[in-house]
Amino acid sequence: MAATTEAWQEKANAKRDSVNGLIPESWRFKEPIPSTEKQRDVTGKFLWQYLSDREIEITESNAVEIVKHTTTGDWTAEEVTKAFCHRASLAHQIVNCLHEIFFDAAIESAKELDAYYAEHKAPIGPLHGLPISLKDQFHVKGVETTMGYIGWIGTFQGKTGTGREMVFESEMVRELRALGAVLYCKTSVPHTLMSGETVNNIIGYTWNPKNRNLSSGGSSGGEGALISMKGSPLGFGTDIGGSIRIPAAFCGLYGIRPSSGRMPYEGMANSMDGQNTVLSVVGPLSSTVGGLRLAMKSLLSQQPWLHDPLVHEIPWREEQEKEIFDLVSSGTGGKGGLAFGIMETDGVVTPHPPIRRAIKMVVEALNKLGHKVVKWSPPSHKRGNQILLTTWGYDGGHDVHSAFDLSGEPIADQVKQSYGDAAQEQMNAAQIAATNVAKREFQKEYMEYWNSTKEYTGTSRPVDAVIAPLAPFAAARPKCYKYYGYSTFVNLLDYSSCVIPITTAERSTDVMDKDFEPLSDEDKGIADLYDAAIYDGAHVAIQLIGRRLQEEKVLAMAEYVGNAISGSSGHTAPSEKL
């Protein structure tokens, strides 16, 4: 056993060292990184001391601003790419957010884009020269996809001799290249992907850059951390239980979980591949809604439904955005005409004080703007989430445990809480069919509840969206993500949902109610995790939920709500249409 343990450790160390060795010597820290006690927040100006003025100008720009420069020839793709490679290197050295580095290949791609622009006086596509980071599920030529598993090092998804090792590319990678994007790194994930914290035996733990006492989230935690530190202007994650939205919320970003079939997932690595009751989906994270819109609109222009059999033939629908814009301006005296359901709690676990304050801030802003807000009292989320959790156990954990068995590496505690130390008995076809029926019936029940809200919105329509917590806490403390119900119900229903950053936790303001009475032992356990001093300064976010395949409407409403909250401080650039 000792020899086996030594083998996996050596393999993990070698992989970690090989990746870190790709960071240029001039970009490596010469002095020890300050401790969390001395420097809790490593975003923003903390990093500026290690960057040139030009690098700061470039990397502080959002995705939409960058492409305005790169698609007109004002900035070269090469200088933009080098700036983000440098900042990504700094981010990784502090919070452990990268699995793969391919800066040299990215710079060569950028040079080719610049040569194309010099010859044609036009960009290759709408993402010309834009650096984009990818979660380590995407296959990219020239680098590995480990998905955090030591047993996947040097293989194609754990297998050798496939002919696909380091040459196969996922469908979305092909489309991003065709649009002019520059791909330069892949970001960290928890092994298995099935955790709201990012940890594995290769890179360790991915910390939250805003508050290093806390997690960056998961499973797209590397994306959240990297974009939060502006080491990337735009990246892609995946979401089967909250894995885009959790890192976005924890790291102060916008992130959208599209409905299944809207974005191409073809050719990506995954856990439990073939479990089709609740599909994992792919979507973007960025510092602004504009970045999300740019990503989705550009990708849909590539007609992904011609190359991914699960993608619906639904181009970007500007008329749906316009419908929201018209409703915003339809009220009397400039007041709006939207209606929102407000879910303060799911009746299972009570959100921490910062989350409750964020919900209150949104409600007050919407009321001030003249919109309708109503209490959201849907079918039992406890019942719905139990259906979803059942789907994760169809195979008894055989898929993930077989990946661990390849190396003999230990399973992180955060994953073990779901999958234990060994695989269990698999469900049979009848049990899986019964779960599918239960899911469909719950979706129908929830749909009709949503329809019924038109009786009391005062708009003659059901609510346009739901405002809800994304998690019971601003971010998870290490090994403490014990309740996923606020994110997973959206996956079961297959709704579109976008995270909106609202505020930051405040030690003196966000105090636990003295008369708080927990709903259950589970509720008490989550409440006991709250410590105002530990959470001070953490990002606080909520999610805006729309119906299935309403991504255009959801982004339009998210941008509007985000602007209403941020005011002049600006979480996102004001929309030209609003």
Side-chain angles (χ1 to χ4, degrees):
M1 185 65 184
T4 302
T5 300
E6 183 178 332
W8 73 255
Q9 288 177 328
E10 288 181 355
K11 202 167 187 179
N13 292 341
K15 177 64 177 178
R16 180 171 58 253
D17 292 345
S18 70
V19 173
N20 291 340
L22 294 172
I23 298 175
E25 184 67 34
S26 61
W27 291 353
R28 299 178 191 179
F29 287 106
K30 304 301 186 290
E31 302 293 332
I33 296 168
S35 66
T36 300
E37 290 72 27
K38 291 183 178 180
Q39 188 68 47
R40 177 179 292 198
D41 181 355
V42 292
T43 62
K45 292 184 179 179
F46 172 77
L47 284 182
W48 291 5
Q49 61 187 305
Y50 306 107
L51 299 166
S52 68
D53 289 345
R54 180 61 169 161
E55 288 173 324
I56 293 170
E57 178 187 10
I58 291 171
T59 56
E60 288 292 317
S61 301
N62 65 48
V64 174
E65 292 167 342
I66 290 168
V67 296
K68 285 180 180 178
H69 291 292
T70 55
T71 58
T72 56
D74 292 340
W75 291 356
T76 67
E78 182 180 359
E79 68 173 338
V80 172
T81 298
K82 287 181 176 178
F84 278 102
C85 288
H86 187 188
R87 194 151 179 168
S89 296
L90 299 176
H92 176 58
Q93 292 174 77
I94 300 173
V95 297
N96 305 325
C97 58
L98 301 184
H99 274 188
E100 300 289 341
I101 287 172
F102 38 106
F103 297 159
D104 289 346
I107 292 168
E108 286 305 309
S109 294
K111 289 179 179 178
E112 292 173 4
L113 290 169
D114 290 335
Y116 180 94
Y117 192 93
E119 179 180 354
H120 299 280
K121 305 303 179 185
I124 281 182
L127 303 182
H128 183 103
L130 180 67
I132 290 181
S133 51
L134 301 172
K135 184 179 185 177
D136 191 24
Q137 288 179 257
F138 289 86
H139 291 295
V140 178
K141 185 178 180 180
V143 295
E144 294 182 328
T145 301
T146 67
M147 219 166 75
Y149 288 125
I150 294 172
W152 281 23
I153 296 172
T155 74
F156 182 81
Q157 298 180 186
K159 298 178 181 179
T160 57
T162 67
R164 291 186 164 193
E165 293 89 339
M166 297 181 68
V167 295
F168 177 78
E169 291 201 321
S170 304
E171 173 59 26
M172 187 181 286
V173 170
R174 183 192 68 80
E175 293 172 0
L176 288 171
R177 292 192 192 281
L179 291 162
V182 178
L183 310 178
Y184 64 113
C185 64
K186 292 206 292 178
T187 53
S188 57
V189 301
H191 51 206
T192 75
L193 307 175
M194 304 304 288
S195 175
E197 301 174 54
T198 293
V199 58
N200 62 61
N201 294 314
I202 301 174
I203 55 94
Y205 197 90
T206 303
W207 295 98
N208 190 313
K210 185 67 173 175
N211 183 332
R212 289 192 289 159
N213 292 308
L214 306 171
S215 169
S216 64
S219 60
S220 312
E223 282 299 318
L226 181 65
I227 300 171
S228 179
M229 295 185 77
K230 297 188 183 297
S232 169
L234 174 68
F236 282 90
T238 63
D239 194 316
I240 195 173
S243 293
I244 291 170
R245 292 163 292 145
I246 291 167
F250 290 6
C251 295
L253 306 171
Y254 288 88
I256 185 170
R257 182 241 179 240
S259 294
S260 60
R262 198 74 206 275
M263 291 277 103
Y265 210 105
E266 175 67 23
M268 291 173 60
N270 203 2
S271 285
M272 305 176 298
D273 193 16
Q275 181 283 109
N276 288 351
T277 301
V278 177
L279 290 172
S280 177
V281 300
V282 60
L285 300 85
S286 193
S287 60
T288 68
V289 171
L292 307 184
R293 182 185 290 113
L294 172 68
M296 293 192 67
K297 188 174 181 179
S298 297
L299 281 165
L300 290 175
S301 74
Q302 295 292 293
Q303 298 181 301
W305 47 85
L306 296 179
H307 302 281
D308 184 334
L310 297 185
V311 174
H312 305 301
E313 187 173 349
I314 307 176
W316 186 260
R317 300 165 296 186
E318 292 189 359
E319 66 274 12
Q320 292 215 355
E321 289 183 286
K322 183 177 183 300
E323 183 179 334
I324 298 302
F325 305 147
D326 290 344
L327 287 171
V328 165
S329 59
S330 65
T332 303
K335 292 189 175 183
L338 294 171
F340 296 89
I342 307 297
M343 187 173 77
E344 296 180 352
T345 175
D346 64 357
V348 182
V349 166
T350 306
H352 284 177
I355 304 298
R356 298 203 300 271
R357 179 167 62 87
I359 295 287
K360 183 178 180 181
M361 289 173 64
V362 173
V363 170
E364 290 176 350
L366 294 174
N367 278 326
K368 185 176 181 180
L369 290 166
H371 299 292
K372 308 295 189 299
V373 294
V374 299
K375 184 178 180 181
W376 190 249
S377 302
S380 169
H381 278 202
K382 184 175 183 179
R383 175 163 52 90
N385 282 314
Q386 187 53 55
I387 297 170
L388 178 129
L389 293 175
T390 299
T391 71
W392 292 356
Y394 278 170
D395 76 339
H398 283 260
D399 176 64
V400 299
H401 282 288
S402 65
F404 288 120
D405 289 344
L406 292 172
S407 66
E409 65 176 305
I411 306 171
D413 291 341
Q414 291 89 335
V415 172
K416 193 179 295 186
Q417 73 181 31
S418 298
Y419 290 99
D421 291 304
Q424 305 298 313
E425 183 180 357
Q426 301 188 45
M427 296 178 68
N428 61 37
Q431 291 170 317
I432 293 172
T435 304
N436 287 334
V437 171
K439 174 206 170 189
R440 186 181 71 236
E441 290 175 345
F442 187 81
Q443 287 178 306
K444 169 65 172 175
E445 184 181 354
Y446 214 98
M447 176 186 291
E448 294 302 343
Y449 169 72
W450 192 309
N451 292 337
S452 73
T453 60
K454 72 177 182 180
E455 301 300 327
Y456 48 90
T457 58
T459 65
S460 74
R461 305 185 315 277
V463 297
D464 298 293
V466 177
I467 301 293
L470 185 279
F473 26 65
R477 295 171 64 176
K479 297 186 180 182
C480 293
Y481 209 136
K482 304 295 185 182
Y483 183 71
Y484 291 93
Y486 282 105
S487 59
T488 51
F489 83 94
V490 173
N491 299 83
L492 182 71
L493 297 167
D494 198 22
Y495 285 164
S496 305
S497 175
C498 185
V499 161
I500 306 173
I502 301 298
T503 185
T504 55
E506 299 176 2
R507 180 175 183 174
S508 60
T509 302
D510 297 319
V511 296
M512 188 67 76
D513 296 338
K514 293 181 180 180
D515 58 351
F516 171 72
E517 294 185 7
L519 301 170
S520 63
D521 289 342
E522 182 178 31
D523 192 24
K524 183 180 185 304
I526 298 297
D528 288 346
L529 295 172
Y530 183 66
D531 184 317
I534 289 176
Y535 274 95
D536 189 44
H539 287 296
V540 183
I542 57 90
Q543 62 179 328
L544 183 147
I545 305 160
R547 298 204 193 202
R548 288 186 66 243
L549 300 169
Q550 289 192 343
E551 288 75 27
E552 294 89 346
K553 290 183 178 181
V554 165
L555 289 182
M557 287 186 281
E559 186 170 52
Y560 178 72
V561 172
N563 286 339
I565 292 293
S566 64
S568 60
S569 63
H571 277 300
T572 181
S575 168
E576 295 177 359
K577 297 180 180 178
L578 288 179

